[in-house]
Amino acid sequence: MPARAASLASVEAEDPADRRPWFSRWISSEHPFPWLFPAAALMIIFGIYPLIYAITLSLYKRNAATRKMIFDPTHNWTKILGDERVWNAVGNTFIYTGVALVFQLTLGMLIALLLDQDRKGYGVLRAMMTLPLVIPPAVTGMMFLLMLNGSFGVLSRGIIALGLLPTGYSILGSANTALAGVLLAEIWQWTPFMVLIMLAGLRSLPKEPFEAAAIDGATATQAFFKLTLPMMSKVIAIAVLIRGIDLFRAFDYVKVMTDSGPGTATETLTSYAGRIYFGNADFPYASTVALLTLIIVIVVSSTFMTVFKVKL
């Protein structure tokens, strides 16, 4: 900072005719703060402040009768330990995240391998892969809610016609299949995201190792497992990390399609926190559940990055 001040002072000394206000001179200088301020302000307003507010709320207990906040730092965290719905939601969230990641990553890689060609029309196909991503998740949820309707849903009728389900069976109305129905919407909408990342990774790979492998007589399968996957490991790890964090806070599909039901069969941590907040108006406990979600995401993400040596 002293060096910067001395530099600015020297510039001012060399240009005494510059009579602009200090703010104009400062914002047109080489100082990084004017350019960092917009991003920093957004982070403080939409990130740091809500986090501090949630932490503050979690230190209070809400009296349902008087609707007053009572300072009790341990009440909500003790309540979480004995709340079976919280741990049911934790289990559902991990299942939801794990299953969606496996399908999205596998399908994303397979589709990317098919589209990694320069044939005529493949550019249009690659562009069309982005279409599901522009649809709001709530709209996607409503669309699949209709298609999975036991009476007139297109997907339900197709599954029933194949003899996989009995006539009139409601996929979203059964505790055994409701989570799978929600996952279907999630996988359909976000697999293209994985396709785009995998395709970008495939396009960045050098061609020389593959040409050498072909000369040595390696098959396409051998080249994929011995060359493509190892060279794509960092890309895959980053894609899994990004999607995993996003999946862990899934809310839209669950709210629109099942509203956490039947019972608590599809209740995730974020949907449970939303139900506590909007349904019971227990703001401190809802904030505590949200903070638990954040803690789990940080722990799992940090462990993943350490194990797979991911550097962002």
Side-chain angles (χ1 to χ4, degrees):
M1 291 301 292
R4 174 68 64 180
S7 175
L8 292 176
S10 64
V11 171
E12 290 180 0
E14 292 174 2
D15 189 11
D18 190 353
R19 302 295 184 182
R20 293 180 299 166
W22 69 269
F23 182 78
S24 298
R25 286 184 283 118
W26 173 67
I27 202 170
S28 61
S29 70
E30 296 180 358
H31 199 285
F33 187 77
W35 312 107
L36 295 176
F37 178 75
L42 289 174
M43 183 178 292
I44 292 171
I45 295 171
F46 296 107
I48 297 176
Y49 172 73
L51 176 60
I52 295 173
Y53 184 64
I55 293 172
T56 305
L57 271 180
S58 70
L59 301 177
Y60 286 82
K61 175 178 71 174
R62 184 177 184 273
N63 189 313
T66 61
R67 297 184 180 180
K68 292 183 178 180
M69 300 290 191
I70 303 169
F71 185 73
D72 189 349
T74 62
H75 172 76
N76 292 310
W77 292 104
T78 305
K79 185 177 178 181
I80 273 184
L81 294 176
D83 190 347
E84 293 183 0
R85 288 186 66 173
V86 167
W87 302 112
N88 174 72
V90 170
N92 286 340
T93 304
F94 272 106
I95 292 171
Y96 186 93
T97 302
V99 173
L101 272 178
V102 169
F103 276 93
Q104 289 176 4
L105 179 59
T106 304
L107 292 173
M109 178 61 80
L110 290 174
I111 297 172
L113 288 170
L114 291 174
L115 294 179
D116 187 24
Q117 302 180 50
D118 293 321
R119 296 180 182 179
K120 185 177 181 180
Y122 274 67
V124 177
L125 291 176
R126 288 192 288 267
M128 289 178 64
M129 290 301 301
T130 62
L131 293 180
L133 298 176
V134 303
I135 303 174
V139 175
T140 301
M142 183 60 67
M143 181 174 66
F144 274 84
L145 175 64
L146 296 174
M147 290 194 294
L148 293 173
N149 185 280
S151 301
F152 55 80
V154 175
L155 290 178
S156 290
R157 282 177 172 270
I159 296 172
I160 292 170
L162 293 173
L164 301 177
L165 292 175
T167 304
Y169 184 87
S170 176
I171 294 174
L172 297 176
S174 172
N176 296 323
T177 55
L179 191 60
V182 177
L183 278 165
L184 193 60
E186 174 77 52
I187 292 167
W188 177 84
Q189 179 154 33
W190 290 102
T191 294
F193 176 81
M194 283 293 196
V195 173
L196 295 177
I197 293 182
M198 296 300 110
L199 192 56
L202 290 172
R203 288 280 166 139
S204 67
L205 297 180
K207 295 182 180 180
E208 290 79 8
F210 296 94
E211 293 172 351
I215 293 172
D216 291 338
T219 63
T221 303
Q222 291 173 331
F224 175 75
F225 286 103
K226 297 292 184 179
L227 293 175
T228 304
L229 280 184
M231 288 191 289
M232 285 277 292
S233 59
K234 297 299 182 184
V235 175
I236 293 172
I238 292 174
V240 169
L241 181 64
I242 294 172
R243 282 301 301 140
I245 293 173
D246 190 50
L247 283 164
F248 212 86
R249 57 186 183 85
F251 177 80
D252 306 74
Y253 306 105
V254 174
K255 181 64 179 176
V256 172
M257 296 177 70
T258 62
D259 197 18
S260 301
T264 59
T266 59
E267 190 167 69
T268 61
L269 278 169
T270 49
S271 66
Y272 183 42
R275 177 169 289 189
I276 298 169
Y277 192 95
F278 296 107
N280 303 340
D282 191 349
F283 313 128
Y285 190 50
S287 299
T288 309
V289 174
L291 287 173
L292 175 65
T293 307
L294 176 62
I295 291 170
I296 294 174
V297 168
I298 291 174
V299 171
V300 174
S301 300
S302 300
T303 304
F304 180 86
M305 292 175 68
T306 302
V307 172
F308 291 94
K309 299 179 182 179
V310 178
K311 294 181 180 180
L312 299 179

